[in-house]
């Protein structure tokens, strides 16, 4: 049984059954989804190998939820953009950006919930007042995306030499571009740090 401050171990067997070692009971993906919503920390392990398979199981939960009628949260343009990043040189930055964005949104969710509760029975004018902070969050998200896109441009490959019919560039300028790469990386780090500061101001 897991210690008080340690994540609960969920074991997944070859027959796809999930076993909660904390409660000594078999559970379903829906049960795991409820645990996530309640803030219960857990890791999923392959019962045979002991490998951590938490990521694919959580991904499967999202897949199941997205396929339930009326529960779609991931818009098609977002899914297309996300798929396009796989295998791209920006793939290493996307997880951090998404994580920080969700953390910032989570900090605001309680305030939004209280506002939505208070919206019941309100007049249209009151509803407009309540919508203001939501619009502010949307605007902040837009600005954060712009910062993210600017950071991504630092990793955009230089056009291949001779692609426009010109001769291949001499070796010396090529060495100069290589020497400037650390500066680009430093600038990227600064851009990400600035993005983090923007997200922190939303809390």
């Amino acid at each position: 049984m897991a210690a008080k401050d340690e994540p609960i171990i969920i074991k997944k067997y070859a027959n796809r059954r999930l076993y909660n070692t904390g409660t000594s009971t078999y559970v379903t993906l829906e049960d795991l989804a409820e645990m996530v919503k309640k803030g219960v920390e857990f890791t999923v392990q392959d019962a045979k190998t002991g490998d951590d398979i938490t990521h694919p199981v959580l991904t499967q939960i999202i897949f199941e939820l997205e396929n339930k009628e009326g529960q779609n949260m991931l818009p098609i343009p977002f899914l297309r953009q996300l798929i396009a990043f796989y295998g791209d040189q920006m793939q290493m930055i996307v997880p951090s950006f998404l994580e920080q964005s969700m953390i910032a949104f989570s900090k605001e969710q309680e305030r939004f919930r209280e506002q939505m509760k208070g919206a019941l029975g309100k007049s249209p004018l009151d509803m407009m007042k309540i919508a203001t902070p939501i619009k502010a969050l949307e605007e902040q998200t837009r600005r954060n995306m712009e910062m993210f896109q600017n950071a991504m441009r630092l990793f955009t490959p230089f056009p291949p030499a001779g692609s426009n019919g010109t001769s291949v560039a001499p070796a010396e300028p090529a060495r100069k571009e290589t020497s400037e790469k650390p500066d680009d990386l430093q600038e990227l780090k600064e851009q990400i740090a600035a993005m983090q500061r923007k997200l922190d101001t939303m809390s």
Side-chain angles (χ1 to χ4, degrees), residues 10-20 25-29 32 44-47 53:
I10 307 294
K11 292 187 177 182
K12 185 175 184 180
Y13 292 90
N15 59 5
R16 297 186 179 182
R17 296 194 73 182
L18 298 163
Y19 184 76
N20 185 332
T25 58
Y26 285 98
V27 294
T28 65
L29 289 177
L32 295 187
V44 185
Q45 295 179 356
D46 185 294
I53 55 173

Side-chain angles (χ1 to χ4, degrees), residues 2-3 8 19 54 62 64 74 101 103 109 147 150 159 162 192 203:
I8 295 172
Y19 184 76
T54 307
I62 292 175
E64 295 289 340
L74 303 178
S101 296
I103 288 174
Q109 68 176 341
M147 292 178 64
N150 289 336
I192 294 177
S203 60

Side-chain angles (χ1 to χ4, degrees), residues 100-115:
Q100 295 303 324
S101 296
M102 289 304 296
I103 288 174
F105 183 77
S106 295
K107 290 178 179 178
E108 293 291 316
Q109 68 176 341
E110 286 305 320
R111 184 161 66 92
F112 288 154
R113 282 177 178 155
E114 289 302 317
Q115 290 172 341

Side-chain angles (χ1 to χ4, degrees), residues 165-179:
T166 58
S167 59
V168 176
E172 185 60 33
R175 285 199 300 270
K176 184 178 180 182
E177 287 178 358
T178 303
S179 65

Side-chain angles (χ1 to χ4, degrees), residues 136-149:
L137 178 62
E138 291 176 349
E139 177 62 21
Q140 182 66 53
T141 302
R142 185 188 63 78
R143 288 197 296 268
N144 289 340
M145 280 302 300
E146 289 178 354
M147 292 178 64
F148 178 58
Q149 289 167 351

Side-chain angles (χ1 to χ4, degrees), residues 20-90:
N20 185 332
T21 61
T23 59
S24 300
T25 58
Y26 285 98
V27 294
T28 65
L29 289 177
E30 289 184 356
D31 294 327
L32 295 187
E34 286 302 316
M35 290 171 67
V36 171
K37 293 175 182 179
K38 293 176 181 178
V40 178
E41 291 289 334
F42 63 83
T43 58
V44 185
Q45 295 179 356
D46 185 294
K48 184 177 181 180
T49 65
D51 292 341
D52 188 329
I53 55 173
T54 307
H55 186 279
V57 169
L58 292 178
T59 304
Q60 186 179 357
I61 291 174
I62 292 175
F63 176 80
E64 295 289 340
L65 292 174
E66 281 291 308
N67 277 279
K68 286 187 176 181
E69 187 176 352
Q71 290 205 167
N72 307 86
M73 283 202 306
L74 303 178
I76 290 178
F78 172 80
L79 292 173
R80 291 184 187 278
Q81 291 173 345
L82 193 60
I83 291 171
F85 279 128
Y86 282 96
D88 187 88
Q89 55 192 345
M90 296 310 304

Side-chain angles (χ1 to χ4, degrees), residues 125-137:
L125 182 59
D126 291 331
M127 288 294 293
M128 290 176 62
K129 292 178 181 178
I130 291 172
T132 301
I134 298 178
K135 290 294 184 182
L137 178 62

